Amino acid sequence: MRERMGRRGFATLAAAGLIAPRAARAQGAEAYPARPVRIVLPVAPGGSTDTIGRVLADELVKKGRGTFFVENRPGAGGNLAYQLVAQSAPDGQTLLVAVDSLTVNPSLFRDAGYDPIANFAPVTLMARIPHVLVTHRNGPAKTFAEFMEIAKRDPNRLQVAISGFGSGGHLSGAVIQHETGARWSVIPYRGGSTPMNDLMAGNVDAAFVTLGAVIGLIRGGQVVPLAITTPQRFPLLPDVPTVAEVSIPGYDVPNWYGLLAPAGTPAPIIAKLNEWANAALAEPAVRQTLLENGFEIVGGPPEQLGTLVRDSVPRWRNLIRDAGLRAE
């Protein structure tokens, strides 16, 4: 990681001309991007993170901002992608679409391999999305109350898919188990569409997934939503209760999507990326696509995302400690 390289290593690279001085990088911001820019995603193709990453990249290209392309780097609960970007040159050529696992994993894994605050420069908080607990049409429970009754009466009988350790779905369920004493077996995947394929095939009993990954299946009647993780009911699913209203008052575990760059990326490049990303999110066609896929569009200054990251780290650290969670 860059932060582990040390000042001597950076001085050596700079002397060799492999790291441009900050002033030179800043001056080059006017011509940015001079080369294709990769946007790294911590998940496999498919699912909400992949959707918003590709929508952003496509819109940036469409508007003539340069060449932007998506690179999926799933694995280790997102750590492979986070480490890759943390170690990348701070020149704006490598970006990251991060989710809440960015702030969860340093407490969940023995060595996540990055620091969510020190290793990244926030660009903008793009969107939020709720998680939904869903089961298949012939699942063991038709309501959240029935699901919880089974999970308390027969611990670990239910198999619940998540998109990876440290994912929003993982934490959504962990909070419920910690607060209620209910227990089920957690089945981690590497994101993408595989959890839903296994759910519909009956290989797992339920799944905690983002709304965007499952909204089409809900509309088609292929899966049954039991509860949603936002404090209020969500407009796309007005008949689905919140966990807060049926089980845990005050429960609120949304998933967020942030655009970040490696720490040290020049401020002019961050400002340009922030402007471009916010403009993309404001495009009517982009908004329509994201809203239809369950996203709550946010946008805003880099500081908003920076505050969210800083505040989230201790929140999840305390929960993971109290619940005794650990990803091996």
Side-chain angles (χ1 to χ4, degrees):
M1 293 178 58
R2 287 182 14 255
E3 68 168 352
R4 293 180 178 176
M5 183 181 293
R7 294 183 178 179
R8 179 177 298 176
F10 275 115
T12 300
L13 290 176
L18 298 180
I19 295 182
R22 181 179 297 271
R25 293 201 306 268
Q27 292 171 2
E30 293 182 1
Y32 173 82
R35 306 189 308 278
V37 178
R38 62 174 172 173
I39 301 177
V40 180
L41 309 182
V43 297
S48 298
T49 308
D50 193 61
T51 295
I52 195 169
R54 292 180 186 278
V55 167
L56 174 65
D58 290 347
E59 185 64 22
L60 292 174
V61 172
K62 179 181 177 182
K63 292 300 183 183
R65 309 303 191 185
T67 300
F68 290 79
F69 66 95
V70 163
E71 181 177 317
N72 297 87
R73 282 294 186 101
N79 289 342
L80 297 185
Y82 300 148
Q83 292 167 10
L84 171 65
V85 178
Q87 297 169 21
S88 295
D91 55 8
Q93 297 300 137
T94 300
L95 306 177
L96 171 70
V97 172
V99 295
D100 42 4
S101 62
L102 178 78
T103 61
V104 171
N105 289 358
S107 298
L108 188 65
F109 290 80
R110 295 190 184 281
D111 183 11
Y114 68 91
D115 185 312
I117 299 173
N119 292 156
F120 300 96
V123 176
T124 190
L125 175 60
M126 295 190 292
R128 298 186 182 93
I129 198 169
H131 285 85
V132 188
L133 177 64
V134 294
T135 186
H136 54 82
R137 287 180 294 187
N138 300 316
K142 299 301 181 185
T143 66
F144 185 76
E146 292 178 3
F147 177 89
M148 293 295 290
E149 192 276 330
I150 296 171
K152 291 179 180 180
R153 183 188 69 236
D154 195 357
N156 297 321
R157 169 193 157 187
L158 297 172
Q159 293 188 321
V160 179
I162 59 171
S163 62
F165 281 113
S167 66
H170 182 198
L171 273 296
S172 295
V175 172
I176 294 172
Q177 294 189 75
H178 178 62
E179 294 292 331
T180 67
R183 291 292 179 268
W184 53 79
S185 297
V186 175
I187 311 299
Y189 291 79
R190 296 176 68 181
S193 59
T194 307
M196 300 317 303
N197 293 336
D198 273 6
L199 176 64
M200 290 186 292
N203 296 328
V204 293
D205 298 303
F208 250 118
V209 292
T210 59
L211 177 58
V214 75
I215 185 64
L217 299 176
I218 293 174
R219 289 168 174 161
Q222 295 162 281
V223 299
V224 179
L226 302 182
I228 201 161
T229 65
T230 46
Q232 294 82 34
R233 296 196 182 198
F234 204 70
L236 291 181
L237 297 176
D239 297 328
V240 178
T242 68
V243 174
E245 67 182 277
V246 296
S247 181
I248 307 172
Y251 178 94
D252 178 16
V253 190
N255 195 38
W256 53 262
Y257 301 84
L259 182 65
L260 302 100
T265 299
I269 290 180
I270 294 295
K272 182 174 285 191
L273 287 168
N274 177 266
E275 177 187 348
W276 289 352
N278 284 326
L281 294 172
E283 280 293 320
V286 170
R287 293 183 66 85
Q288 184 67 21
T289 296
L290 295 180
L291 291 172
E292 288 177 351
N293 281 277
F295 292 94
E296 174 194 354
I297 300 168
V298 182
E303 294 77 16
Q304 181 183 19
L305 176 57
T307 297
L308 176 62
V309 170
R310 288 193 301 272
D311 291 349
S312 296
V313 170
R315 178 192 182 190
W316 294 125
R317 181 194 304 127
N318 293 339
L319 169 70
I320 289 167
R321 179 197 61 213
D322 294 344
L325 300 177
R326 178 65 65 182
E328 300 296 343

